[in-house]
Amino acid sequence: MLLKIQNLTKTYPNGKKALSNVNLDIPNGIFGLLGPNGAGKSSLMRTIAALQESDEGTIFLDDLDVLKQKDEVRKILGYLPQDFGFYPKVTAEDMLNHFAVLKGISNKAERKEVCEALLQQTNLYEVRDKYIGDYSGGMRQRFGIAQALLGNPKIVIVDEPTAGLDPQERNRFHNLLSEIGENVVVILSTHIVDDVKNLCHEMAIMNFGEVLFHGKTNEALNVLKGKVWQAQITKEEVEDYRNRFKIISSKVSAGKICVNTVADAQPDKTFTSETPDLEDVYFYYINNQQK
């Protein structure tokens, strides 16, 4: 399967340009869509999910015209939005059964089999009789994936799925997404760099509705190979360094502040060469975008 997005543009009535000439080819597997809040990721996800119109452009899933054949798209789509609503006083089993009816699984025996299998897959079967309102955040996200997988979708969209999860639940969710991504197109929209680093072979970086980078994750690292430099400085030196160098990121380590910059050669003797990571690439593209 291939999801092909061409020249996609969307401007909201208030004049905000949410998407600006977006072009992406997204194959089977987990594709990372990385960007800060307000980058346009959710607008792109809603457009792919047939929840809003675009002003210009096309989206095709193989031969299926996503923007024109919305009913057909909904049959093969699984979607976990950033804000996933649920009835707090309904059990997971009953809620998933309800979603299965809405998805068109009319045979009761088949519906029961499908729901039980998905609850097993998401490690919720043992707590299927509990109210969803009593679930932890990670359990609710796993339930969200269970409902998104109803009907054997060919494309699954998850929007900021690990925000607020503790490390253990994040690892569980990563394992679940990895399993799902073996056979379908999975789009992981997030602002968490580690999620993309751990899960995705291909990725895009977005900001202000534009695609700043699109390619394989290792290709993104090659962009900055030999160009990342780090200095360990004091708090009092931060402003001076920001004035003299184009600092892309800073973090505290062992009581010192580590600042990273990108340059073709050593900026000065206080900087040492660093192996770039995905966070460097992310900050490089975001901070170099002119707005």
Side-chain angles (χ1 to χ4, degrees), residues 77 96 99-100 103 105 114-115 118 145-153:
L77 173 76
L96 193 60
F99 280 129
K103 198 72 175 182
I105 306 175
V114 167
C115 289
L118 287 173
I145 279 290
Q147 64 81 28
L149 293 178
L150 285 166
N152 295 316

Side-chain angles (χ1 to χ4, degrees), residues 123-134:
N123 199 28
L124 293 172
Y125 186 77
E126 298 302 322
V127 290
R128 65 192 183 281
D129 294 328
K130 285 191 174 183
Y131 292 150
I132 299 177
D134 294 334

